[in-house]
Amino acid sequence: MDQNKQNVLVIDDDVTVRKVISFHLKKNGFSIYEAESADQGMNLLESEKIDLVLCDVSMREMDGYTFCRKVREKNKFKILPFIFVTAKSSLEDKSKALESGGDDIITKPFDVQELLLKVRGLLRRSEIYKVYGTKKNLEESFKKAPSKVLIVDDDPDTLFTLSEIVRECECETVMAKNGLE
């Protein structure tokens, strides 16, 4: 697959729906992986770099809700964007989709432009989370270990004064009277 394109996994046991979704996503610059079952979908998630999942709810072997819960159990997929594509449109169905770990739901028949808006919106949000999460992890790493400052001076008054200034900066102070210490 093209490394510059975002990879979308389309899981649906109805080959026609799968092909229609794949066609429109490819036409709009996405790389597509297709699966006709939850098991195939999980294998692709494990073996490929998938950026977003579009998944049918009603499948033969395992329904989409169960599949989504299994995906979310794995730490590396906790923030993977996940959209249900389903004929089920009741408020209860929509609620169940979100409770099982889905990020959004689109009902069949769907408007292609709406599908593309949802896909692009979730992918953009995912990128923001990745950047923010990386930034946050870096910030936390630097916060965990206080900076250490070595002060070398043979004058005890200067050592004391400098150490007080450094402590105000929330840094750990190490003092030495000479370069040999």
Side-chain angles (χ1 to χ4, degrees):
M1 293 283 164
D2 186 336
Q3 291 183 339
N4 295 325
K5 292 183 177 184
Q6 291 178 302
N7 299 320
V8 177
L9 173 58
V10 180
I11 307 169
D12 198 312
D13 56 358
D14 183 331
V15 67
T16 304
V17 173
R18 200 170 62 242
K19 293 296 181 192
V20 167
I21 292 172
S22 296
F23 170 80
H24 287 290
L25 290 172
K26 282 179 189 173
K27 184 177 161 187
N28 283 275
F30 296 96
S31 293
I32 306 302
Y33 291 88
E34 293 183 26
E36 63 179 287
S37 69
D39 286 338
Q40 281 184 357
M42 188 60 81
N43 289 338
L44 285 167
L45 279 174
E46 294 290 351
S47 65
E48 304 297 334
K49 182 198 168 289
I50 302 297
D51 298 304
L52 181 137
V53 175
L54 287 167
C55 183
D56 185 24
V57 170
S58 302
M59 295 185 289
R60 289 185 266 289
E61 298 158 13
M62 178 189 305
D63 69 37
Y65 302 134
T66 304
F67 175 70
C68 186
R69 280 192 290 275
K70 286 184 177 269
V71 167
R72 294 294 190 224
E73 287 173 0
K74 299 178 183 257
N75 281 335
K76 64 183 175 178
F77 301 133
K78 293 259 187 224
I79 63 168
L80 177 69
F82 197 107
I83 301 173
F84 286 105
V85 182
T86 182
K88 299 181 177 207
S89 61
S90 74
L91 187 58
E92 182 181 334
D93 292 319
K94 291 176 181 180
S95 179
K96 193 171 181 181
L98 295 176
E99 288 170 9
S100 67
D103 296 299
D104 207 340
I105 185 169
I106 189 163
T107 54
K108 301 176 196 172
F110 55 84
D111 179 275
V112 172
Q113 292 306 312
E114 182 183 4
L115 176 69
L116 291 169
L117 285 171
K118 289 179 182 252
V119 166
R120 288 182 181 128
L122 273 175
L123 286 169
R124 185 174 38 247
R125 179 65 47 207
S126 177
E127 288 302 313
I128 291 168
Y129 288 150
K130 288 176 188 172
V131 169
Y132 176 74
T134 301
K135 179 182 173 192
K136 186 176 177 184
N137 289 341
L138 285 172
E139 287 172 352
E140 287 176 6
S141 295
F142 285 110
K143 285 181 182 177
K144 289 179 184 174
S147 299
K148 291 183 181 181
V149 176
L150 172 63
I151 303 172
V152 181
D153 198 299
D154 61 352
D155 179 18
D157 291 333
T158 303
L159 275 176
F160 176 77
T161 303
L162 290 174
S163 70
E164 289 301 308
I165 293 169
V166 169
R167 282 191 188 116
E168 286 178 18
C169 297
E170 298 180 8
C171 296
E172 187 177 321
T173 307
V174 179
M175 296 183 281
K177 293 179 186 170
N178 58 51
L180 298 175
E181 287 185 356

